[in-house]
Each structure stands twice: as C-alpha cells, then as structure tokens.
Amino acid sequence: MHKDDVKKILLTEEQIQTRMKELGAQITKDYQGKNLLVIGLLKGAAWTVTDLTRYIDLPLRVEFMVASSYGNSTETSGSVKIHLDVHDDLRGKDVLLVDDIVDSGITFGAIVKILQQNHPNSVKTLAFCDKAERRVNGFECDYVGFKIPDEFVVGYGLDYAGDYRNLPFIGVLKSSVYAKAK
Ligand code: IMP
Ligand code: MG
C-alpha cells in the first residue's frame, strides 16, 4: 500500500507548490483591506489550507469545519452532514471556503448556503482540484488550483477509503486497489 499503488501521477509536488504560490499571490491582491477568514473542510482541505496560507501575505484567520458526504465509496451520496461548525462570528468577515476537490458541487453548494445564514461580508470558494464535467448543480468556484479530468484521484489531502492523503503529489490508483476492496 502507498506509492506503489499509484499507476499515474497527474500533478507533481513541484507543480502543486508552484500553483499554491500563484494562488496565494492572487488572494493577497484580492483581499487587500478585507477581513479574511479561511475555512477549510476537514480532512481533505488541510493540506491546501496550510500550504496556501503561507503564501498569503495578509493578516488572516483560519477555521476548519467537518462535513461529509462520501463515506468509503467513490461516489457521492448527495447529502451533506456538518459534524463540526465554525466558532468565529462571521459578521464582517470575508470568508474563503476551501476544499480539496469540487466534484458534483453538492458539498460547496450546501455549505456556502449555511455560511451565508451567518451574515458574513462575503463568501468565496477555492478548490484545489476541479472536476468540472461532473457538476450536477452548475456550481462555480472563485479560485481553482487545477482543472482535472473525471478520474478518481488521491494525494495532497485526497483519500481513497481514508488512505493515501499524505502523498505529496496527485495520482490515480491502479485498478487492483479497488478490486481488493470488494
Ligand atoms: P462534491 O460534493 O461531489 O463536490 O464532492 C466533494 C468531495 O468529494 C470532496 O471533498 C472529496 O472528499 C470527495 N471527492 C470527489 N472526488 C474525489 C476524488 O477523485 N478523490 C477523492 N475524493 C474525492
Ligand atoms: Mg472531502
């Protein structure tokens, strides 16, 4: 189990870090004079949040939320449950909601609605990866790390049944990995 289970590397560690720097610089420009609160969705977004915020040259705060819709399968169940909510008061805050990947768009769609009920100044979204062709609700992210094809990927926070999150690159697993799980 681990690196040997990957059949193809889609994004290298270097490509990812270069893109994080670019996004950090863009956000630094866009959020001048604002009250930035970065909210990451655990667990997958932790890798993006920690790398990205080091490249944002502004005062900011970080919170995390736990929301789930996936379980152990590679398909979404369509319902989003919140297990851990943000403690900070959102009034006057410019929220940047971060996830590892936007797929159907159901997770972002649901959580943006919930955050807006708490009257922040603004809510924008950032997805490390975007599988645009999988979208069911037309959701569009404000910031995207990489547009990727419709393939199940792991690494840099993204898991398969809880494993592979710590791979520093984005890869596609060998089909033998899924066969074993059955
Ligand atoms: P959405 O609600 O369908 O947009 O799905 C977002 C969530 O699905 C992400 O936070 C991931 O946990 C999970 N997900 C979607 N595609 C992948 C993938 O290729 N690898 C790992 N997790 C994925
Ligand atoms: Mg997730």
Side-chain angles (χ1 to χ4, degrees), residues 10-11 19-20 23 48 70 99-106 108 125-153 156 158 170:
L10 220 62
L11 300 168
R19 185 69 186 123
M20 285 298 142
L23 282 172
T48 302
Y70 259 65
D99 205 0
D100 49 7
I101 195 163
V102 57
D103 186 36
S104 67
I106 291 169
F108 265 163
T125 53
L126 181 149
F128 168 63
C129 284
D130 183 0
K131 286 188 199 169
E133 59 191 279
R134 296 260 305 170
R135 210 75 90 250
V136 298
N137 57 1
F139 191 87
E140 279 188 42
C141 292
D142 300 287
Y143 302 95
V144 169
F146 298 94
K147 288 214 152 113
I148 63 165
D150 179 13
E151 272 187 291
F152 195 80
V153 292
Y156 202 69
L158 289 152
I170 291 292

Side-chain angles (χ1 to χ4, degrees), residues 13-71:
E13 184 172 2
E14 204 189 351
Q15 282 175 301
I16 293 170
Q17 292 303 320
T18 301
R19 185 69 186 123
M20 285 298 142
K21 279 184 201 165
E22 287 171 4
L23 282 172
Q26 182 66 51
I27 290 162
T28 302
K29 268 195 202 150
D30 295 351
Y31 282 83
Q32 290 293 326
K34 300 203 172 177
N35 200 351
L36 179 56
L37 171 64
V38 176
I39 302 179
L41 297 181
L42 290 175
K43 303 171 185 135
W47 285 257
T48 302
V49 167
T50 50
D51 280 346
L52 178 74
T53 54
R54 277 182 283 199
Y55 300 125
I56 301 176
D57 188 13
L58 290 174
L60 58 79
R61 288 185 177 222
V62 175
E63 293 273 356
F64 286 99
M65 286 172 84
V66 177
S68 64
S69 64
Y70 259 65

Side-chain angles (χ1 to χ4, degrees), residues 69-70 73-80 103-104 106-107 134:
S69 64
Y70 259 65
S73 120
T74 55
E75 290 291 321
T76 183
S77 67
S79 68
V80 176
D103 186 36
S104 67
I106 291 169
T107 307
R134 296 260 305 170

